Amino acid sequence: MTRSIGYVVFPGFGVMAFSAVSVFEAANAAAETAQYDITLLSETGGPVRSSIGVVVETQPFSNDAFDTLIVGGGGTMSFTPGMRAFLGSAGRAVRRLGATCTGQFFLADAGLLDGRRVTTHWHYADDFRRQFPKAILDENRLFLVDGPIWTSAGMTAGIDQALAMVEEDLGSDLARRVAKNLVLPYRRAGGLSQSSAMLELESKSSRVQEALAFARGNLGSTINVEQLAQAAKLSPRQFTRVFRQETGRSPAKALEELRIEAARVLIREGRHSIELIARQTGFNDRERMRRAFIRAFGEPPQQIRRAARTPELVD
């Protein structure tokens, strides 16, 4: 079965947000058969120029049916009657309606996000909240799914959202092959924060980054300073000194931040019990994880799960 995807662009659209289209193209290649048929759309049709001058050819809005409709981001936000009418009609007819970055503004203007949990790029969060108070905005997410509505932070997060769509349609094995073909290390979960611990811990040397990468890849295990130092090819004493100089944190504190970030994603997704998540992320027991969450967020894991409206499961 070929799924039809309509991707809406407008003058000055962001090329980075547009890159999500490549995910569906790569899915066709990985499946070795046409799984997706992609149509680029604009209000008037014809050539549309991107933010850096790249021009794409588009089809005008019509009554054609789509399985999935995605509104791209970037450019000047002009809420025209034609755009509003098209999204209001087509948006309610598709199986899945998505938007990246500022694309959410167009969906909200068409009345499609009232009462929905959505996200957008952090830079536009205040404007979005002010203009569309009926939507429930959570700007601290890479992407967010509420029923048929998919919204992402845009930029590279649009790729993660598209990969999640492919996984929903065609399974995790094919989605992993697509990520591999796109030379991505993995598909980031939607619950990840737009600001990551790895980014906040950015250091000047590749040695410290290698130690952080080792830690992130082994969060479920017991990790000590000696192992981190070995990954960085430094002595434990030298590693601790260099690490603190470059990150402003002790190795133990940085490791806790990485564990908290990973655990928070799993808690918000709601597929596993709090106890299992504590073990998977290296906290070993839920009380130790609870204390870490209260230090970081001022609230326990259970409260974060309730806020995400996902029931706790028993493993």
Side-chain angles (χ1 to χ4, degrees):
M1 178 183 70
T2 302
R3 298 165 179 83
S4 58
I5 294 181
Y7 192 93
V8 179
V9 297
F10 33 84
F13 69 89
V15 173
M16 179 61 77
F18 185 70
S19 63
V21 174
S22 297
V23 173
F24 302 108
E25 179 187 21
N28 287 341
E32 299 182 348
T33 183
Q35 297 292 329
Y36 297 102
D37 179 38
I38 305 163
T39 302
L40 303 183
L41 301 168
S42 68
E43 186 169 353
T44 59
V48 177
R49 187 178 297 273
S50 73
S51 57
I52 62 170
V54 174
V55 177
V56 299
E57 190 67 30
T58 66
Q59 298 298 314
F61 293 160
S62 68
N63 294 324
D64 292 347
F66 292 98
D67 172 80
T68 299
L69 184 69
I70 303 173
V71 182
T76 302
M77 285 182 280
S78 179
F79 304 121
T80 65
M83 176 74 79
R84 190 176 298 119
F86 171 72
L87 292 178
S89 175
R92 292 183 175 91
V94 297
R95 175 176 68 94
R96 191 166 52 195
L97 179 63
T100 65
C101 196
T102 55
Q104 283 81 293
F105 284 74
F106 292 94
L107 297 187
D109 177 70
L112 296 167
L113 301 185
D114 292 357
R116 295 285 189 180
R117 297 177 63 238
V118 301
T119 191
T120 190
H121 192 289
W122 60 265
H123 181 76
Y124 300 102
D126 289 342
D127 288 341
F128 183 92
R129 187 176 283 109
R130 182 171 55 253
Q131 292 183 48
F132 306 107
K134 292 183 179 180
I136 305 168
L137 181 66
D138 181 357
E139 67 269 34
N140 196 34
R141 300 286 291 269
L142 287 182
F143 65 89
L144 203 155
V145 183
D146 186 346
I149 305 294
W150 295 58
T151 55
S152 84
M155 305 302 281
T156 59
I159 296 174
D160 297 296
Q161 176 175 264
L163 274 169
M165 290 180 175
V166 170
E167 182 173 340
E168 179 182 69
D169 295 339
L170 304 174
S172 58
D173 287 345
L174 190 132
R176 279 194 292 270
R177 293 207 303 275
V178 171
K180 184 176 181 180
N181 290 343
L182 293 175
V183 197
L184 297 171
Y186 59 96
R187 176 182 73 74
R188 294 177 296 177
L192 279 174
S193 171
Q194 292 184 32
S195 177
S196 72
M198 286 290 282
L199 184 60
E200 295 295 328
L201 291 167
E202 184 177 3
S203 65
K204 297 177 183 178
S205 70
S206 60
R207 289 187 173 187
V208 171
Q209 283 298 311
E210 287 174 3
L212 288 169
F214 170 82
R216 188 171 189 173
N218 294 275
L219 289 180
S221 305
T222 300
I223 303 173
N224 55 40
V225 172
E226 286 73 18
Q227 290 171 305
L228 295 175
Q230 185 176 11
K233 299 179 175 61
L234 295 169
S235 69
R237 183 176 179 179
Q238 185 181 16
F239 170 75
T240 300
R241 177 177 57 79
V242 170
F243 192 94
R244 188 180 288 276
Q245 286 177 343
E246 294 193 10
T247 69
R249 299 164 174 82
S250 68
K253 180 62 177 176
L255 183 57
E256 180 177 275
E257 291 178 11
L258 292 174
R259 293 192 197 282
I260 288 172
E261 181 176 82
R264 189 184 188 201
V265 172
L266 295 172
I267 287 165
R268 298 184 76 160
E269 288 181 346
R271 291 194 295 232
H272 304 295
S273 70
I274 299 294
E275 186 68 37
L276 180 60
I277 292 170
R279 295 198 302 270
Q280 288 178 331
T281 54
F283 285 106
N284 297 327
D285 66 76
R286 60 187 298 160
E287 177 57 26
R288 181 183 173 194
M289 185 169 73
R290 187 188 72 82
R291 292 195 299 268
F293 268 64
I294 290 176
R295 285 194 296 270
F297 308 118
E299 57 185 8
Q302 292 87 342
Q303 183 60 39
I304 291 175
R305 170 157 285 177
R306 282 193 292 269
R309 299 191 301 180
T310 51
E312 181 173 348
L313 304 181
V314 177
D315 292 291

